[in-house]
Amino acid sequence: MTTNIKYGCAPIAWTNDDLPELGSNNSFEQCISEIALSGYVGTEIGNKYPKNPKELNSYLAPRGLSVASAWLSLYLTTKTFEENKDQFIKHRDFLYELGAKVIVVAEQGHSIQCDFDKSLFKDKPIFNENEWSLLADGLEELGKLAQEKDMHIVYHHHMGTGVQTTDEINKLMRLTNPDYVSLLFDTGHLVMSGEEPLEIYKQHHNRIKHIHFKDIRSDIKQHVIQQNLSFLEGVKKGMFTVPGDGDIDFNPILDLIINSNYSGWIIVEAEQDPSVANPFIYAKKAKEYISQLSNKLNYA
């Protein structure tokens, strides 16, 4: 059985955009070369990547890499729509020039994602009804702008934000038009939050247009909860890792994805300290693990 799935790897394991000290010595060229050597055909975009599409592609193309997407922080609940719109259009046009079909967006209004002083679980933001309306309406308008370039926005549910839990994901999907707002499915953030990835996928597979494969270490998750640690402290302690190295069983997840006729990117992503977890070794380990699963499922 053949599929329309392409595998890529995110640069966050080489240099962490939220914690620049993690991997500060790793170069952009090292990152993309090791992504290619690990067997991937795509990448998302990190802060060290060239900002000019032609220049960036001149590095990626010889290595056989394409751009899958790139993250954009939105502030629809705390800033004007026009402010968000201007940043979105610049981001959209940049990705369009690189051939990407999806735009990863996440609401950062009230987010504690980058706040060392906030407990990841105790201080999680909760949107009021007005904020939900601002978010849903704004996303639909941005989705329309994406369609001008034959692209889609994919919403990234994320730890430490107002759209993290099953109920919150379901509410966002209920409040938004599927013609304009799609979903990013991230295994690591779901399991870290205590959600059930298989149920989320089954419920929303028709709207999932981008996937992140990330694993977790359950013992560190429990430590983060018990010690009321922040998201970034959890990252530094290693709560995330690559598929095949943590406690998530990706066999039923990959089986479900393939049997749903998913078409698009699966991006391996795991923010870790590269001085502890060598990003090349871990990226390669993840690709080998996924290939083994595919062979086992007879989908290779």
Side-chain angles (χ1 to χ4, degrees):
M1 178 178 178
T2 59
T3 70
N4 294 315
I5 296 174
K6 295 179 288 186
Y7 290 97
C9 190
I12 199 166
W14 282 263
T15 303
N16 192 305
D17 290 346
D18 293 334
L19 290 167
E21 67 270 24
L22 297 185
S24 60
N25 295 327
N26 291 335
S27 69
F28 156 68
E29 291 91 338
Q30 175 190 344
C31 172
I32 60 172
S33 294
E34 292 182 350
I35 286 174
L37 282 171
S38 300
Y40 300 96
V41 296
T43 178
E44 291 188 349
I45 296 175
N47 282 342
K48 288 184 178 178
Y49 284 40
K51 304 301 187 289
N52 180 280
K54 289 184 179 179
E55 180 186 0
L56 176 53
N57 196 51
S58 73
Y59 285 98
L60 297 179
R63 293 168 171 84
L65 295 176
S66 300
V67 170
S69 188
W71 166 289
L72 178 66
S73 295
L74 299 177
Y75 297 89
L76 293 164
T77 61
T78 56
K79 295 184 180 181
T80 68
F81 177 76
E82 290 303 316
E83 289 177 281
N84 286 277
K85 176 182 176 181
D86 290 344
Q87 292 301 313
F88 179 83
I89 289 174
K90 291 177 184 177
H91 191 70
R92 177 201 68 179
D93 292 350
F94 173 65
L95 288 176
Y96 176 77
E97 290 299 320
L98 290 161
K101 292 296 185 182
V102 298
I103 306 164
V104 176
V105 298
E107 176 62 24
Q108 290 295 292
H110 307 295
S111 170
I112 61 168
Q113 179 180 331
C114 295
D115 193 334
F116 272 103
D117 297 324
K118 299 291 186 180
S119 168
L120 179 56
F121 287 90
K122 281 193 172 183
D123 296 321
K124 181 200 169 307
I126 304 295
F127 291 149
N128 60 38
E129 288 308 310
N130 181 58
E131 289 166 338
W132 275 111
S133 295
L134 288 170
L135 177 59
D137 293 346
L139 287 174
E140 288 191 355
E141 292 304 311
L142 296 180
K144 294 173 185 178
L145 290 171
Q147 288 195 354
E148 292 178 356
K149 298 286 189 178
D150 194 27
M151 301 172 74
H152 297 274
I153 62 169
V154 287
Y155 192 90
H156 192 335
H157 56 88
H158 200 284
M159 293 298 299
T161 74
V163 184
Q164 171 186 308
T165 67
T166 297
D167 287 345
E168 290 163 346
I169 293 168
N170 291 345
K171 183 167 185 173
L172 183 65
M173 294 295 95
R174 188 170 65 251
L175 290 175
T176 54
N177 189 326
D179 291 339
Y180 304 123
V181 181
S182 299
L183 183 65
L184 183 153
F185 173 77
D186 188 301
T187 56
H189 283 278
L190 289 172
V191 174
M192 188 68 198
S193 178
E195 319 308 316
E196 175 46 66
L198 291 173
E199 293 306 314
I200 293 290
Y201 194 91
K202 288 174 184 176
Q203 186 165 351
H204 300 297
H205 68 90
N206 288 329
R207 294 180 71 171
I208 293 171
K209 294 187 182 297
H210 200 57
I211 293 173
H212 284 173
F213 267 9
K214 175 161 38 198
D215 212 335
I216 72 158
R217 297 182 175 98
S218 297
D219 57 337
I220 300 178
K221 170 185 174 179
Q222 291 307 312
H223 179 72
V224 169
I225 295 171
Q226 292 167 3
Q227 298 299 315
N228 290 316
L229 299 183
S230 67
F231 177 78
L232 294 182
E233 283 291 348
V235 167
K236 291 175 72 174
K237 289 186 178 297
M239 66 183 181
F240 291 131
T241 185
V242 298
D245 187 61
D247 297 313
I248 298 176
D249 181 5
F250 282 84
N251 188 85
I253 295 173
L254 185 59
D255 190 30
L256 181 61
I257 290 169
I258 292 173
N259 278 298
S260 73
N261 294 316
Y262 172 77
S263 178
W265 287 97
I266 293 179
I267 303 295
V268 167
E269 181 195 44
E271 46 267 68
Q272 301 189 79
D273 184 345
S275 68
V276 177
N278 182 289
F280 172 57
I281 299 300
Y282 276 77
K284 192 169 182 292
K285 179 176 184 174
K287 187 62 171 64
E288 291 171 349
Y289 170 72
I290 293 169
S291 295
Q292 289 171 0
L293 287 185
S294 296
N295 289 332
K296 180 180 176 181
L297 296 167
N298 295 317
Y299 295 132

